[in-house]
């Protein structure tokens, strides 16, 4: 059967785009930070119609994992292990590019391979932006990946990636493949006609239904995040009120397109704050969320340890983006993955990372002087992007506050300082991986947690018991501070079981009233809670797509 399926796939997409050899599939079957497993094949369709034909060829005999940029951190878009009850086929969407601006660029239709970077460029001439700009954890991320995985993004006003307007395929209760057109665009009646017309953008303004009942972004998040006295998190992956068809689907349906709102780009400036105490940053957060006429645009937290690891082990990412831009990053990652695959066969794992780190020592310090001075003075750092018309009010508040509280200080960034501050923040997430791969003899792995604290939490700085501290080499804390969403990366000593440590961390988080994951797919790391499992089962009653995520069963028909 497997040979027959592979032959059929080659007829659909061409021999070159059906990958079966281990060295060919490594990039796709291994997660960026976590998880890997066996696959029958990786298939790369070039059109939406080919994507549909691939699905018809492999279901229900095979498990399908739909994969976009494979930038996730929880193994949610790769296989995990080797104990599946059916062959696994990865449907890679990287060739399915396409961004279609509609409604005067106030909305956009994105095809499966569209990246945030491509969307940002398409919107720039219209002075508009997508839901997210450079991702907080991964550069090169896809638009559809954000929707399917409840990605939160770094922009305070916009909340989790969300839409109620999508075109997707599912295998229904009768084992029949069906195409569901909820894009709100009239494209025809048959799957073939719908997909051909969408690929060619063959529709007019009259075909677009602008029914206000269907949302193309999360309209209520701006209100929710301002409720700083609420005893619950502002956003988290298992929130049942933000699960709708493709949104939060985590690959349990095969998405062909999503329709999303875009946002007006506003003039802004950046403040940089340093402090010795969590109380200062809490006071700033509460004031800006409660008293500012317009919500801050972004607010990113960095702890000193994360600052240091990012400055050293994220330096290559920072400099690469400075020189070549974000659109070249995926190709660079892919090239490095191929080189690493060859090196691992010769038992030279980590060599490329060590070489890159060695080369980075010959480059001068890349971070602004004032930022580095604050690094020496303060353990807590907060970067805030404020709408230009609110800058004077914020400056007056910070000046008054830090005259009374000498535990911290601030400065208004130049344009270059502001840009570099945010780029440094975004380079930090990958720095933990680089540290691990450069110190394989000392490091077992990374425990990476993605948590949402309660909105009224004033004591957000974590204090771990000594039994956990002794097994941790470095703790990296960074995150979206106004949303109270934190990324906590623990670099674990050799010989320590990372999974056992993570389960102990969950106990602590439960005691703090936190939700996790906050903005990533549960993947194969986290337990899916009841609301999420119910969402998955409604979407995928036969358990054919991305099976096993959230520690659910891998068996056909959910084991029933």
């Amino acid at each position: 059967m497997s040979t027959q399926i592979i032959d059929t796939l080659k007829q659909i997409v061409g021999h070159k785009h059906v990958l079966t050899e281990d060295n060919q599939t490594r990039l796709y079957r291994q997660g960026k930070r976590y998880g890997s497993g066996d696959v029958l094949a990786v298939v790369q369709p070039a059109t939406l119609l080919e994507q549909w034909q691939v699905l018809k060829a492999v279901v229900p005999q095979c498990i399908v994992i739909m994969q976009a940029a494979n930038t996730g951190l929880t193994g949610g878009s790769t296989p995990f292990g080797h104990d599946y009850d059916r062959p696994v086929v990865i449907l890679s969407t990287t060739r399915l590019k396409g961004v279609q601006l509609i409604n005067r660029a106030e909305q956009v239709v994105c095809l499966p391979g569209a990246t945030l970077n491509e969307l940002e460029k398409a919107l720039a001439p219209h002075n508009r932006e997508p839901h997210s700009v450079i991702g907080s954890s991964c550069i090169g991320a896809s638009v559809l990946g954000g929707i399917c995985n409840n990605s939160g993004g770094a922009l305070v006003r916009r909340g989790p990636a969300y839409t109620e307007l999508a075109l997707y395929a599912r295998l229904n209760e009768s084992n029949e493949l069906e195409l569901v057109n909820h894009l709100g665009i009239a494209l025809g009646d048959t799957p073939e006609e719908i997909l051909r017309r969408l690929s060619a953008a063959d529709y007019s303004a009259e075909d677009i239904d602008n029914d206000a009942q269907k949302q193309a972004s999360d309209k209520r998040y701006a209100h929710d995040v301002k409720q700083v006295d609420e005893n619950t998190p502002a956003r988290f992956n298992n929130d049942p009120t933000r699960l709708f068809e493709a949104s939060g689907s985590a690959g349990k349906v095969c998405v062909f397109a999503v329709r999303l709102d875009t946002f007006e780009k506003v003039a802004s400036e950046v403040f940089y704050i340093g402090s010795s105490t969590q109380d200062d940053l809490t006071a700033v957060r509460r004031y800006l969320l409660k008293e500012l006429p317009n919500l801050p645009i972004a607010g990113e937290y960095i702890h000193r340890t994360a600052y240091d690891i990012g400055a050293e082990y994220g330096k290559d990412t920072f400099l690469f983006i400075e020189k070549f831009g974000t659109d070249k990053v995926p190709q660079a990652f892919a090239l490095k993955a191929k080189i690493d695959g060859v090196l691992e066969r010769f038992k030279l794992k980590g060599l490329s990372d060590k070489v890159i780190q060695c080369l980075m020592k010959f480059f001068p310090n890349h971070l602004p002087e004032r930022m580095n001075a604050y690094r020496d003075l303060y353990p807590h750092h907060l970067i805030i992007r404020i709408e230009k018309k609110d800058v004077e009010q914020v400056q007056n508040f910070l000046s008054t506050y830090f005259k009374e509280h000498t535990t911290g200080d601030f400065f208004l960034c130049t344009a270059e300082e502001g840009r570099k501050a945010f780029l440094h923040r975004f380079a930090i997430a990958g720095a933990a991986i680089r540290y691990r791969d450069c110190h394989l003899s000392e490091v077992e792995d990374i425990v990476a947690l993605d948590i949402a604290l309660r909105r009224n939490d004033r004591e957000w700085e974590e204090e771990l018991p000594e039994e956990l501290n002794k097994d941790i080499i470095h703790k990296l804390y960074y995150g979206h501070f106004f949303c109270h969403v934190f990324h906590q990366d623990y670099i674990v000593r050799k010989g320590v079981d990372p999974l056992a440590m993570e389960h102990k961390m969950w106990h602590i988080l439960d005691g703090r009233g936190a939700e996790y994951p906050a903005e990533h797919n549960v993947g194969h790391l986290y337990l899916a809670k009841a609301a999420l499992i119910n969402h998955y089962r409604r979407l995928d009653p036969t358990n054919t797509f991305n099976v096993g995520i959230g520690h659910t069963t891998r068996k056909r028909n959910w084991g029933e």
Side-chain angles (χ1 to χ4, degrees), residues 131 146-147 150-153 158-163 217-218 221 234-236 242 518:
H131 164 270
I147 292 293
N150 287 121
S151 297
R158 299 176 194 174
Y162 180 81
T163 187
S217 62
D218 187 343
Y221 185 73
R235 57 177 166 94
F236 55 97
R242 290 184 167 102

Side-chain angles (χ1 to χ4, degrees), residues 398-499:
L398 293 175
S399 297
T400 302
Y401 181 87
F402 285 116
K403 279 180 184 174
E404 298 173 3
H405 302 82
T406 57
T407 46
D409 206 350
F410 79 98
F411 61 86
L412 183 62
C413 294
T414 65
E416 182 181 18
E417 286 174 328
R419 178 178 57 78
K420 288 188 172 183
F422 275 98
L423 183 52
H424 177 51
R425 156 66 185 89
F426 298 140
I428 286 171
I433 302 171
R434 169 60 54 74
Y435 184 99
R436 177 196 65 191
D437 292 343
C438 285
H439 300 84
L440 292 172
S441 62
E442 306 154 34
V443 176
E444 186 66 35
D445 209 341
I446 300 163
V447 171
L449 296 178
D450 162 38
I451 70 167
L453 296 182
R454 297 170 298 188
R455 283 168 281 181
N456 65 353
D457 249 324
R458 293 174 182 264
E459 296 184 1
W460 47 266
E461 187 176 7
E462 184 176 63
E463 294 289 340
L464 290 177
E466 182 54 31
E467 67 165 308
L468 292 178
N469 268 328
K470 66 181 175 58
D471 292 329
I472 298 170
I473 300 172
H474 292 297
K475 292 175 283 191
L476 280 68
Y477 297 127
Y478 53 98
H480 315 311
F481 190 67
F482 290 107
C483 304
H484 255 197
V485 167
F486 291 85
H487 300 290
Q488 301 181 173
D489 294 347
Y490 308 92
I491 300 173
V492 179
R493 296 186 189 283
K494 198 74 175 174
V496 176
D497 182 351
L499 195 57

Side-chain angles (χ1 to χ4, degrees), residues 125-201:
H126 304 273
N127 198 42
R128 298 190 72 81
E129 294 179 325
H131 164 270
S132 300
V133 289
I134 295 177
S136 63
S137 302
C138 297
I139 295 164
S142 71
V143 177
L144 263 69
I147 292 293
C148 294
N149 295 331
N150 287 121
S151 297
L155 301 179
V156 180
R157 304 175 179 186
R158 299 176 194 174
Y162 180 81
T163 187
E164 297 169 2
L165 300 163
L167 174 68
Y168 61 91
R170 68 192 290 267
L171 200 65
N172 65 24
E173 294 84 348
S174 303
N175 252 3
E176 297 166 338
L177 190 65
E178 58 184 17
L179 187 68
V180 180
N181 182 9
H182 287 171
L183 269 182
I185 303 175
L187 293 164
D189 300 317
T190 68
E192 290 75 13
E193 182 186 8
I194 290 168
L195 297 173
R196 283 197 188 99
R197 288 185 60 188
L198 181 60
S199 292

